Amino acid sequence: MSNNNPAVMSREQAQALCDRILRLSQAERAQVNVGSGWTGNTRFAANQMSTSGSVENVGIGMQSWFGARSAVATTNDLSDAGLERTVRSSEALARIAPEDPEDMPLLGAQTYRPVPAFFDPTANCTADERARAAMTALEVTRRAGDLDAAGYIVATAGSNALANTAGLFAYHQATNGSYTLTVRTADGTGSGWASSGHQDWSRMNFAGVSERAIAKARASRNPVAIEPGRYTVILEPQAVGDLVQLMVFAANARNADEGRSAFTREGGGNKIGEQVVDPRITLYSDPQDPDLLGQPFDGSGLPLGRQNWIENGVLRELIYSRYWAQRQNRQPTGGPSTIKMVGGTTTVDQMIAGTERGVLVTRLWYLRQVDPRTILYTGLTRDGTFLVENGRISRSIRNFRFNESPLFMLNNLEALGPTERLSGTEAGGNIVMPAIKVRDFNFTSLSEAV
């Protein structure tokens, strides 16, 4: 859709500013990034609205090169003096920077497929609209008397432009809406969480998020402890995304080729072409996918298309930087802006019904790497963890610490659910994941956290 938010630079405005900055350059090579945008946010806690605000900003990053030496200076001062000062600062720093032995020439003009990721209902979202969304939770928790709600609602609209002295110009504009909600019981024993995210504000189900979080809070009261160990586990889409995105971030071709990765082949090289997870798993990035709608270029201006990381369980691609692709005689992939795992048709309710004994997990938290060679992470379950017995949820249970790798997890797959666009992940909102059911998920100890 068209952009009518004045805080978001149009393509013409961004290109004019990029040209204005590059004309100031006295370096051998130069590249400028211009990001503009607006953010409106509403916070609430303890059943009370706490803040509502908006921010508009334009940020400029100027990179200058002399030979293989380069440096970046940044500013949000668009005055002639401010731009001049920033360009000269980047040049002065570049002259004294160490040489980069992996320096690559700038990309010239590229062709990008535009992505329709800008939606007026999000770009024009008002404080009143955000407050009404918050009230879908607050009206219920205030009436209940024994529930406390805390949440964050945000709408963003922005553009990103990239230009250089080799003739490249790239531009993308996008919006995003996000709602995350935590509901705690007054006795401190129960906690429920839910979220929703979409580029189009009008397609977000705020009432549904509130209902899910409130129901989980009530159901998770008075959890009991069960023994840590390996369990059949049903992970809701957010929990799947929390782990699986880490596998894509670890899919670096250089690390694999140099023997520092889970994707290193025994005897040398990488595992492209080998079966690495269950054959039902397909994992890809594609800014054109209507469920994803990501930026169609990476930070260097390299065009991004569909990238099939894993197809039917087989590793098809790794992330190749321009430098490493040149070294290995491969095509560079660019850094992905989206992640999607193809889902199935088994609902969470059906997964529960088909489980004799297992654990239902809402989401994961505080993930930290243990071993990069296996993508092993440790972390905690949070905000609604339940024991499943004889095909139904039997009780709320204490949270666990786990040690698990997404590679191990996806080799123990039992069922795949429909996909859902996530909110609140490290990669932002351009992640789509299904719920999954897996066996032998490794819970190592109990946690006191609610």
Side-chain angles (χ1 to χ4, degrees), residues 215-272:
K216 286 209 170 186
R218 286 173 167 152
S220 63
R221 282 189 176 105
N222 302 313
V224 300
I226 66 172
E227 284 296 317
R230 293 188 178 273
Y231 286 84
T232 294
V233 171
I234 299 163
L235 297 110
E236 295 189 359
Q238 183 67 47
V240 177
D242 290 335
L243 263 177
V244 169
Q245 64 175 316
L246 302 172
M247 186 167 68
V248 177
F249 297 157
N252 181 284
R254 182 173 186 172
N255 290 349
D257 292 339
E258 293 181 343
R260 297 180 283 116
S261 165
F263 300 111
T264 297
R265 185 196 305 133
E266 189 173 346
N270 61 54
K271 292 183 178 180
I272 290 178

Side-chain angles (χ1 to χ4, degrees), residues 47 133-149 179 181 183 206-207 210-215 218:
N47 288 343
M135 292 306 295
T136 63
L138 292 175
E139 285 180 347
V140 179
T141 56
R142 288 170 179 174
R143 282 198 310 267
D146 61 347
L147 298 174
D148 286 322
Y179 175 33
L181 173 66
V183 178
F206 297 99
S210 299
E211 289 169 7
R212 291 201 309 274
I214 289 167
R218 286 173 167 152

Side-chain angles (χ1 to χ4, degrees), residues 147-171:
L147 298 174
D148 286 322
Y152 183 53
I153 300 172
V154 60
T156 65
S159 69
N160 188 37
L162 184 70
N164 67 32
T165 51
L168 178 142
F169 179 74
Y171 175 85

Side-chain angles (χ1 to χ4, degrees), residues 46-370:
N47 288 343
Q48 298 293 326
M49 298 281 191
S50 56
T51 62
S52 180
S54 64
V55 177
E56 297 179 6
N57 194 27
V58 176
I60 294 167
M62 178 66 179
Q63 187 166 9
S64 299
W65 280 264
F66 293 96
R69 305 176 189 273
S70 74
V72 177
T74 63
T75 188
N76 62 356
D77 180 353
L78 303 189
S79 69
D80 289 343
L83 296 179
E84 176 87 26
R85 184 167 54 249
T86 303
V87 172
R88 299 297 162 247
S89 293
S90 70
E91 291 170 351
L93 291 168
R95 291 181 186 278
I96 61 173
E99 290 194 350
D100 179 1
E102 299 177 6
D103 180 60
M104 294 292 292
L106 294 175
L107 288 171
Q110 305 289 310
T111 300
Y112 307 106
R113 290 182 62 195
V115 175
F118 194 97
F119 294 85
D120 285 339
T122 313
N124 301 324
C125 178
T126 65
D128 283 347
E129 289 176 290
R130 299 194 303 272
R132 285 196 294 271
M135 292 306 295
T136 63
L138 292 175
E139 285 180 347
V140 179
T141 56
R142 288 170 179 174
R143 282 198 310 267
D146 61 347
L147 298 174
D148 286 322
Y152 183 53
I153 300 172
V154 60
T156 65
S159 69
N160 188 37
L162 184 70
N164 67 32
T165 51
L168 178 142
F169 179 74
Y171 175 85
H172 176 68
Q173 61 177 10
T175 56
N176 193 54
S178 175
Y179 175 33
T180 58
L181 173 66
T182 301
V183 178
R184 294 287 180 93
T185 60
D187 62 8
T189 67
S191 181
W193 181 91
S195 75
S196 177
H198 202 279
Q199 290 103 333
D200 185 350
W201 182 268
S202 66
R203 294 180 61 181
M204 292 178 63
N205 183 1
F206 297 99
V209 170
S210 299
E211 289 169 7
R212 291 201 309 274
I214 289 167
K216 286 209 170 186
R218 286 173 167 152
S220 63
R221 282 189 176 105
N222 302 313
V224 300
I226 66 172
E227 284 296 317
R230 293 188 178 273
Y231 286 84
T232 294
V233 171
I234 299 163
L235 297 110
E236 295 189 359
Q238 183 67 47
V240 177
D242 290 335
L243 263 177
V244 169
Q245 64 175 316
L246 302 172
M247 186 167 68
V248 177
F249 297 157
N252 181 284
R254 182 173 186 172
N255 290 349
D257 292 339
E258 293 181 343
R260 297 180 283 116
S261 165
F263 300 111
T264 297
R265 185 196 305 133
E266 189 173 346
N270 61 54
K271 292 183 178 180
I272 290 178
E274 296 184 15
Q275 192 91 26
V276 293
V277 292
D278 186 282
R280 288 168 287 181
I281 297 298
T282 293
L283 188 66
Y284 67 89
S285 299
D286 185 357
Q288 298 289 336
D289 188 302
D291 288 337
L292 294 168
L293 299 181
Q295 182 170 286
F297 54 90
D298 73 357
S300 67
L302 197 69
L304 298 176
R306 178 163 174 137
Q307 300 159 309
N308 293 312
W309 309 113
I310 294 174
E311 185 177 27
N312 299 325
V314 175
L315 182 67
R316 295 298 186 193
E317 187 59 277
L318 293 168
I319 299 171
Y320 280 85
S321 67
R322 291 178 62 215
Y323 170 79
W324 196 247
Q326 183 184 67
R327 283 279 304 268
Q328 301 298 102
N329 196 29
R330 302 272 305 204
Q331 287 296 314
T333 63
S337 64
T338 61
I339 305 171
K340 182 176 181 178
M341 191 161 89
V342 175
T345 58
T346 308
T347 66
V348 170
D349 286 344
Q350 289 170 330
M351 293 178 192
I352 292 170
T355 301
E356 183 177 342
R357 193 167 192 269
V359 175
L360 172 66
V361 175
T362 297
R363 68 172 181 138
L364 307 175
W365 179 68
Y366 204 57
L367 277 73
R368 295 294 183 268
Q369 191 174 74
V370 176

